[in-house]
Amino acid sequence: MCNACGNPAAPGHWTDAGAASPGDRLRARFHRAALLNAVLKPYGLSAHDGGVVPGIQVGTLSGAQTIVQTLDDLWAEAERLAGQPIDPLDPRYLDG
Amino acid sequence: MADTRLRLTLLGGYLGSGKTTWLRHQLHFGAFGPRVHVVVNEAAEVPVDDALLSGADGMTLLSGGCCCCSGRGALIAALRSLCDARSRISVDAPRLERIILETSGLADPGAILQAIQADPVLVNHIVVDETIVAVDALHAMAQLTTEPLGRQQVEAADRLILTKTDACPPTALATLRASLALLNGHAAVTAATLGEAVPLPFLPADTEPALLPPLGFDDQRGPIRPTQVAIPDGLDWAAFTLWLSALLHARGDDLVRVKGVVRTPAGRLLLQTVRKVVQSPEILPDQGDARLDNRIVFIGRGYRPQDLGRSLHRFLGLPPPSPLHEGP
């Protein structure tokens, strides 16, 4: 448990596999946030991970912000903020 | 650092499919190694199975409620107390190596896996390494035709044990095996009578599976099919996990299983999911058969098989895959 923010230490989410040292983990977080930002841009969303606070910050162009802990939560929140489903097998995504 | 977590083997199968008989025999011959604890769940209030299992080092009986639904709390508590007792013993001292969870015949192994993964204590102490499902060769066909639960159990398996094969006519056995391959193409299938392994006859390639009628909403979207997707060289693990988590979020109920070995800079990662649950990836030793690396099998329904590879390539910003790399 983090004393400052009350976030329980997540039990190693599966997406963090392979990043063993704290430096690797931080690098992986920055890298993931940058990728995610590019992925969410077409939906009018942005993603940011400062590396300090646990979680990924997702925001809309109008300023709504939310923090999600895992990628599982992320997609649900992104769909809610974007107001549309996000599906990698959607024909519009595949052919667009 | 070596992975010191407890291994858990899930043993499932329909009512009367021969789970306990098989397990008793395996324990007697030490097939699961030393220091095994068996957790048996009985859906009925009256425990009957506990007298049968004496080959294990310890046994916990959970009666009165199936542990994938009404008895879930009791299961989690029992597993936690096992982990707790084990954690008090030094890593170097002999201590519990493995838990075998024999589910009730009414349990969906996928739901149990989900419960273990969702528990903040157990996920750090237990790694589920195999789901074994006993299939009654005499009655399974009828169960698969009428019971959604029978299909869920088969779909969740890593290994299928056909039981009572000695009493089953050869043609019926061949039809059953073809039907099982349709439901769950990646599970290894072996046979056992009274717990003792018996060889399976050669299965002709043209054996027709039985017609399984749709049961409920899920089955109307076509049969479950395996699709192999080749992972491009030099894969960006972070991008891949983003894609897979988005895919599981959108299609998790359709994707019964995802399984494969991915080469990453950290080593070979064994990745497996059951519906929306992803098990924490294990780093595999570098030796072993590397030919199947960087191939992921998606088992599911409700999408066009070629779309999986196209979607992954698009997500990674690569040109569409050549058709050679796809197909079942």
Side-chain angles (χ1 to χ4, degrees):
Chain A
M1 174 85 76
C2 164
N3 281 342
C5 59
N7 269 305
H13 194 248
W14 67 271
T15 48
D16 298 333
S21 72
D24 283 347
R25 274 197 290 277
L26 193 59
R27 226 181 331 273
R29 281 178 65 179
F30 290 150
H31 180 51
R32 186 165 63 204
L35 288 168
L36 195 56
N37 197 33
V39 168
L40 291 178
K41 204 170 180 189
Y43 295 93
L45 301 174
S46 66
H48 175 74
D49 187 345
V52 182
V53 183
I56 304 166
Q57 299 164 44
V58 185
T60 66
L61 293 175
S62 58
Q65 290 270 339
T66 179
I67 297 184
V68 292
Q69 297 302 327
T70 66
L71 290 181
D72 304 336
D73 304 334
L74 171 100
W75 298 109
E77 269 304 300
E79 283 185 343
R80 190 181 67 79
L81 290 173
Q84 57 175 308
I86 298 177
D87 179 2
L89 298 182
D90 186 341
R92 283 180 305 174
Y93 175 73
L94 290 172
D95 302 323
Chain B
M1 198 179 75
D3 192 346
T4 54
R5 286 177 295 177
L6 251 175
R7 308 277 137 172
L8 186 135
T9 304
L10 208 60
L11 174 62
Y14 208 74
L15 296 163
S17 57
K19 297 180 287 294
T20 309
T21 311
W22 183 80
L23 180 59
R24 187 171 38 152
H25 196 82
Q26 302 304 310
L27 289 173
H28 184 70
F29 285 99
F32 289 105
R35 297 187 291 281
V36 175
H37 189 99
V38 178
V39 179
V40 182
N41 176 223
E42 290 288 335
E45 294 287 343
V46 187
V48 283
D49 274 353
D50 62 329
L52 301 174
L53 296 165
S54 53
D57 292 323
M59 212 196 81
T60 309
L61 181 77
L62 305 168
S63 63
C66 162
C67 57
C68 85
C69 34
S70 60
R72 188 178 295 185
L75 171 70
I76 298 292
L79 292 180
R80 277 191 182 189
S81 71
L82 284 172
C83 292
D84 196 27
R86 181 177 184 261
S87 298
R88 290 164 201 271
I89 303 171
S90 155
V91 183
D92 309 318
R95 59 177 189 172
L96 191 61
E97 301 269 345
R98 180 180 294 273
I99 298 175
I100 299 172
L101 172 59
E102 186 193 329
T103 69
S104 79
L106 297 172
D108 173 12
I112 294 175
L113 220 56
Q114 194 160 4
I116 293 174
Q117 293 282 316
D119 188 90
V121 176
L122 296 183
V123 76
N124 281 316
H125 283 90
I126 288 181
V127 53
V128 180
D129 69 355
E130 198 178 22
T131 303
I132 303 172
V133 171
V135 177
D136 179 343
L138 284 180
H139 304 109
M141 215 56 252
Q143 290 153 6
L144 292 175
T145 316
T146 54
E147 290 288 336
L149 178 68
R151 291 188 198 177
Q152 280 170 0
Q153 290 176 341
V154 168
E155 286 166 7
D158 294 313
R159 176 144 65 112
L160 292 167
I161 313 281
L162 289 170
T163 57
K164 313 180 194 174
T165 47
D166 52 339
C168 182
T171 49
L173 186 62
T175 309
L176 174 64
R177 284 168 69 194
S179 310
L180 290 175
L182 190 69
L183 284 171
N184 184 345
H186 75 106
V189 181
T190 56
T193 52
L194 293 175
E196 204 159 336
V198 289
L200 274 171
F202 174 72
L203 182 69
D206 58 349
T207 312
E208 284 288 319
L211 196 64
L212 296 172
L215 299 172
F217 172 70
D218 272 357
D219 297 319
Q220 283 160 21
R221 286 169 299 153
I224 289 179
R225 275 185 310 222
T227 309
Q228 228 181 62
V229 175
I231 299 296
D233 292 331
L235 173 84
D236 181 346
W237 170 252
F240 176 72
T241 56
L242 279 179
W243 175 75
L244 186 59
S245 64
L247 183 70
L248 290 175
H249 172 74
R251 302 292 179 124
D253 295 327
D254 288 343
L255 282 165
V256 177
R257 292 278 282 173
V258 178
K259 195 173 184 182
V261 178
V262 184
R263 279 197 173 276
T264 69
R268 301 166 66 215
L269 288 183
L270 171 67
L271 188 75
Q272 19 181 356
T273 78
V274 177
R275 298 207 178 86
K276 288 193 175 179
V277 190
V278 184
Q279 301 183 35
S280 48
E282 256 181 277
I283 297 185
L284 298 176
D286 247 337
Q287 347 30 348
D289 191 1
R291 279 173 301 172
L292 293 173
D293 279 13
N294 276 354
R295 278 174 188 279
I296 295 203
V297 182
F298 292 83
I299 299 166
R301 58 158 76 90
Y303 51 81
R304 292 188 304 170
Q306 68 271 25
D307 283 353
L308 290 169
R310 282 176 66 206
S311 175
L312 174 63
H313 278 243
R314 191 173 171 83
F315 201 93
L316 298 173
L318 299 169
S322 60
L324 276 177
H325 289 130
E326 294 188 11

